[in-house]
Amino acid sequence: MIWLVKGASAMSNARSAILERLRKAPKKPIPDLAPWTPYATTTESAKDRFCRLMKGVNGQIVETTRADLVATLRQVLTDKQAKNLLYAPNTDIGRTLDAAWATEPGPQLVAYDKPIEDMKAVMVNDIDAGITSTMGAIADTGSLIVWPSADEPRLMSLVPPIHIAVLESSKMFDSFPEAVAKLSWNKKPPGNTLLISGPSKTADIEGILCYGVHGPKQLVILFITD
Amino acid sequence: MTQVSHDFEHAAVKALGNQQLRTNFRRVMTGLMAKRAAQFPDQDELQALRSRGASIKDRALAKLPELLVQLEQNLTANGIQVHWAETVEEGNKIILDILKKASARSIIKGKSMVSEEMHFNHFLEENGVAALESDLGEYIIQLAGEGPSHIVMPAIHKNKGEIGKLFQEKIDGQGFTDDPDELTAAARRVLRQMFANADAGFSGVNYAAADTGSLVLMSNEGNGRMSTHLPKLHIALMGVEKVIERLEDAAPLISLACRSATGQAITTYVNIISGPRKAGEKDGPKEVHLVLLDNGRTKIYNDPELRVGLRCIRCAACMNHCPVYTRIGGHAYQYTYPGPIGEILNPQMQGIEKAGDVLHASSLCGRCSEVCPVKIPLHELIVRLRRESIRPSGNSVKGGGSRNSSTENVIWFGWKTMYASPLLYRWGTWWLRKIGNLMPSSMPLLKQWTSVRTKPQFASRSIYDLARERGIRDE
Amino acid sequence: MSKNPLPGLPDTVYYFPTCLVDLFYPEAGMAGIELLQRAGTKVVMPGQQSCCGQPARNCGYYEEARAVARTQLAAFPKNWPIVVPSGSCAGMMKTHYPELFKGMPELPEVQAFCDRVYELTSFLVHVMKIKLVDKGEPVKVTWHGSCHSMREMGVVEEPKDLLRSLSNVTLVEADYEKECCGFGGTFSVRLPEISAAMVTDKINNIAATGATQVVSGDMGCMMNISGAMKKAKTPVKGRHIAEFLLERIGRGDA
């Protein structure tokens, strides 16, 4: 297969040419990293900072407790008039919901339990809200940490127009570097990891802020404080 | 003698006469400057963060070849396929080959300025692949058949009324509205189906972490995530200078970019891609590719002073604060990048003979350098390139020396002769005082000056004479 | 950048009037000298100087700029501060002379020269600690922040502090007071249309303040702004800040 060999060697030529030019270039000293501490000069607590930043971008925060989580969720779904809820059955939240809905039903639970190819139409057109867990949050930037997995796929926090996220206050990090260290994020990270800092938005039209472009129009955080 | 282009000046003059453009840009740029200032109330924190950002970038640049190799190793171990391209032609071909192999007829794009360098959309259209822009601003200009006028807000030169008319014209079943929320909802509806049906997704890369083999993508709208989670194939494109040492180094750069660019703490989404869909996962692309593009970057790298321009994190703060950009908009700059960073990159990438006229589009006010989050001395690099344009230092810059003009050489030779000699200076200025005010406004240089100002008046006495009369010592 | 590295008040200072002042505004230059004298120092203005060399350097003509720089370097032999009534020329000498002589044997000498260069208002405030007593009639003025003054010499608040210290002067801030006026040296004639748009906006913003005078520390800017105001018949007078301050405190005996 001449074209295959040619293509491959053209590319390895590019690679070696690029690296050679870079290696032959004048050497500059490698500087030390200049010191930096995130939001060092403020006095607000991590929790207050996170909430302030999140609310400032139209994120909604509903404080609750472990015991009241399901009741709070039901209220949110009623307020938002959600007729269904996309969820991940094989997670703690999923199991909690299945048990709770068994005794007292609510809006229809739709399981994201098949590959997207088999769920596309439903996902893109028919879902009102989706619920995911979080790995924690970052106070510096007002961000949720979401790590999709086989059980809780990527699109759960993106496609439904309302994203409901469960956050435990004990998992509040000051900064992204702190989260990287504490979660061992830099040791073989999952294929996709996310920071989510509010509902989707744009200012492309005359610089005017509009919410709900391609991602969720609403982000509701169920903030477990105990 | 290579053909030297003067297209910039014509384009700039045209833009200056466009009142709507002037009004749009002035309003939005003023707003962005204020938003940035509001994000940095503490000057010490700002300077510390800028130093951090500059040092992260300088470390990565100093170690660039090693980091690229490490990045490639870790990306490959993560299941991401890495390709290298020296030129835009090579890059386009590599991507087309990937698409053909996957029988992909459509690709939905997150915003990528590097793809503009490649004239990517045009190339794909010519080769039977539909390239669909999904970033709202890029979608708008794609409908209008235009290029981006700003690197972060591509359609900022358009009014909501114009966008409303455009949507009515180009989107089936869309009536006229100029309400931004309704326009956004219309775009969401259309693009949602495109996301669902596209054969492939495309993105740029804000930072590529060498230690973890990860691609970090920032987006506010969510289209970046849609393009990289939904389709079964994801192709990412990145300039070779975007690699950083460690994943956590992204944090100060993200903070700097977002606060400098649009006055936000962070973009809505930071999407960190460290591999394709794994066994058992239900979404994500099954194939992920990264194309590393040179296109003149290694040449820039080869010059220690010009290399500093490669720190750029494409935040657009420089153009937001540029008094020239705000009056002429992005299209006048003719090539991919507008504003001060465009004045550095375009001549180096396209060659000074083609793109060098933009080098004088600066009064050297220095505001760009003042606000650059990674401390690139932009206005100093502009002067360096001006120097290269008339007297190249070796082979540092493509098209070096192409703007050397014998007329200007004579002028500066004359100026130097007069000003380097105190005697000739006194003599020359004595004559200027005698006849200078007789010079007609129509003569070259005065003609340009007097288009909007009165002629400067040569004083009848020299300050040295006045001083001597008033008893000021000269030693 | 150190604002006052001198141990106490200097006995004598050098003065670098700038070529624009010499050619077009010598009285503004003389006002600067008189302010320094009134502040309590002797002033020496060498005759062997001419121009800082900025126009050539900005156009990329480094050899020519260097040749002219050497003449200035030789004209101020004693170890006295060199005071310049222009942030632009001061900035050229202080921040760009080391660049012009990079890698050359003269560099240490050049650096020593650069360390002695000061912009006038900054020198008056931080070194001379000048105290002004306003003897003039009430007046409303506005200020233009020259780019190189602010961004190369770090001079932002000093001129405004001096203006605010005058009891009968009302200082009004113009919109975009720190935006470039469009002079940029040769920029004003290379890209005259863009420069014209910038200066037109600048004078409109100045006129909108209702001030009767606009002051600046740079005659390059002022030549541009005044020239535009005169052509547009804007009822505002443009002054170098030194002239304005001297007028307010009353000219002393010559």
Side-chain angles (χ1 to χ4, degrees), chain A residues 86 112-124 153 155-156 159, chain B residues 196 229-232 277 281-286:
Chain A
L86 184 73
Y112 193 164
D113 57 0
K114 294 186 279 298
I116 181 60
E117 288 75 21
D118 302 331
M119 293 212 37
K120 228 187 249 190
V122 164
M123 279 281 286
V124 172
L155 294 170
M156 291 191 73
V159 175
Chain B
H229 293 339
L230 252 177
K232 61 185 194 298
R277 189 192 307 197
E281 289 184 353
K282 300 178 185 61
D283 55 23
K286 295 193 177 158

Side-chain angles (χ1 to χ4, degrees), chain B residues 93-268:
Chain B
K93 183 166 188 313
I94 288 168
I95 294 176
L96 184 63
D97 286 347
I98 296 169
L99 291 169
K100 287 220 157 104
K101 208 157 149 220
S103 308
R105 303 297 308 278
S106 60
I107 182 163
I108 186 130
K109 292 179 68 190
K111 206 156 81 60
S112 158
M113 286 307 294
V114 187
S115 73
E116 298 286 336
E117 275 178 54
M118 308 227 298
H119 302 291
F120 180 71
N121 295 6
H122 182 69
F123 173 81
L124 287 187
E125 310 284 356
E126 283 193 327
N127 284 280
V129 180
L132 313 158
E133 294 287 355
S134 70
D135 170 88
L136 180 60
E138 292 284 348
Y139 173 67
I140 290 168
I141 60 176
Q142 184 168 52
L143 286 182
E146 295 173 24
S149 61
H150 186 273
I151 65 176
V152 172
M153 300 195 301
I156 205 63
H157 55 290
K158 291 200 166 320
N159 278 347
K160 55 191 186 197
E162 289 176 285
I163 297 169
K165 250 192 245 130
L166 184 65
F167 277 23
Q168 179 184 35
E169 212 179 299
K170 303 275 184 174
I171 300 176
D172 275 338
Q174 175 70 16
F176 177 81
T177 174
D178 66 354
D179 177 81
D181 281 310
E182 286 176 25
L183 290 168
T184 302
R188 179 188 166 99
R189 259 193 320 273
V190 172
L191 286 162
R192 230 153 162 69
Q193 298 309 317
M194 292 202 201
F195 286 125
N197 299 324
D199 295 330
F202 176 86
S203 76
V205 177
N206 292 98
Y207 320 103
D211 65 341
T212 56
S214 303
L215 309 176
V216 181
L217 280 55
M218 299 174 1
S219 132
N220 276 315
E221 298 178 11
N223 64 313
R225 287 186 62 198
M226 284 292 220
S227 313
T228 59
H229 293 339
L230 252 177
K232 61 185 194 298
L233 167 64
H234 168 210
I235 301 174
L237 173 66
M238 184 181 108
V240 293
E241 83 283 20
K242 294 289 204 62
V243 63
I244 55 175
E245 269 183 297
R246 310 172 308 168
L247 182 62
E248 66 253 51
D249 289 336
L253 296 175
I254 290 171
S255 182
L256 282 165
C258 295
R259 291 157 83 190
S260 305
T262 48
Q264 27 169 206
I266 191 169
T267 45
T268 309

Side-chain angles (χ1 to χ4, degrees), chain B residues 30 391 408 420 425 450 453, chain C residues 22 63 71 190 224 231:
Chain B
T30 301
R391 285 182 192 141
E408 204 174 335
Y425 173 77
T450 56
R453 309 164 190 84
Chain C
D22 180 30
E63 280 76 35
T71 301
R190 278 188 206 266
N224 178 39
K231 184 131 184 177

